[in-house]
Amino acid sequence: MKARILIRPKQGILDPQGQTVERALPALGFSGISEVSVGRLVELEVDDPAQLEDLCERLLANPLIEDFEIQLPEG
Amino acid sequence: MKARILIRPKQGILDPQGQTVERALPALGFSGISEVSVGRLVELEVDDPAQLEDLCERLLANPLIEDFEIQLPEG
């Protein structure tokens, strides 16, 4: 099945990419945008989704500074 | 409102991060995982979501090599 994993910087951890985007907004004419966070999106095909938690902790995310969320197709 | 933007490498465009993950899997004991794609996840607070398409094209994504999908809260 197709799985999607959302990886985000933990609350309170420096997010330099998000800060860079926020700083660039006014010069490009955007306003009313805040709390920008930049993380990673991993999509993959997996036979046994029970592996995914372990995969995230050991390879995809850095649990010290990142949170992850596993999304599987519903039903 | 809170918006989420999923940015993916376009089909057929080289995805070196995805390839690196795939190559690392067997050594870590994972099997049955394929078609790994690594993109970016941007989350932000926006007053006027009509700005988001333009924001993606001009700042967040590189339209030559990336596709983006904007997700807004339902309702």
Side-chain angles (χ1 to χ4, degrees):
Chain A
M1 75 184 64
K2 203 86 191 160
R4 176 183 291 168
I5 297 150
L6 309 180
I7 301 170
R8 305 179 172 91
K10 270 187 203 283
Q11 280 287 343
I13 295 278
L14 200 65
D15 176 4
Q17 289 185 82
Q19 290 178 348
T20 302
V21 170
E22 277 195 44
R23 272 194 228 113
L25 293 170
L28 291 169
F30 295 102
S31 62
I33 296 174
S34 61
E35 295 175 44
V36 181
S37 141
V38 179
R40 286 195 308 288
L41 166 73
V42 181
E43 291 177 314
L44 47 77
E45 185 67 37
V46 61
D47 293 342
D48 172 16
Q51 299 180 91
L52 291 177
E53 184 109 7
D54 197 30
L55 176 69
C56 288
E57 282 173 4
R58 292 174 59 207
L59 180 63
L60 300 181
N62 178 344
L64 288 176
I65 59 170
E66 292 169 327
D67 288 322
F68 60 86
E69 175 186 343
I70 297 168
Q71 295 183 336
L72 296 173
E74 278 159 48
Chain B
M1 75 185 63
K2 203 86 189 160
R4 175 183 292 167
I5 297 150
L6 309 180
I7 302 171
R8 305 179 172 92
K10 269 187 204 283
Q11 280 288 342
I13 294 279
L14 201 66
D15 176 4
Q17 289 185 84
Q19 290 178 350
T20 301
V21 170
E22 278 195 44
R23 271 193 229 113
L25 294 170
L28 291 169
F30 294 103
S31 62
I33 296 174
S34 60
E35 295 175 41
V36 181
S37 141
V38 179
R40 289 196 305 290
L41 166 73
V42 180
E43 291 177 314
L44 45 78
E45 185 68 37
V46 61
D47 294 342
D48 173 14
Q51 300 180 92
L52 291 178
E53 183 109 7
D54 197 30
L55 176 69
C56 288
E57 282 172 4
R58 291 174 60 206
L59 179 63
L60 299 181
N62 177 343
L64 289 176
I65 58 169
E66 292 170 327
D67 289 321
F68 59 85
E69 174 184 344
I70 298 168
Q71 295 183 336
L72 296 172
E74 278 159 49

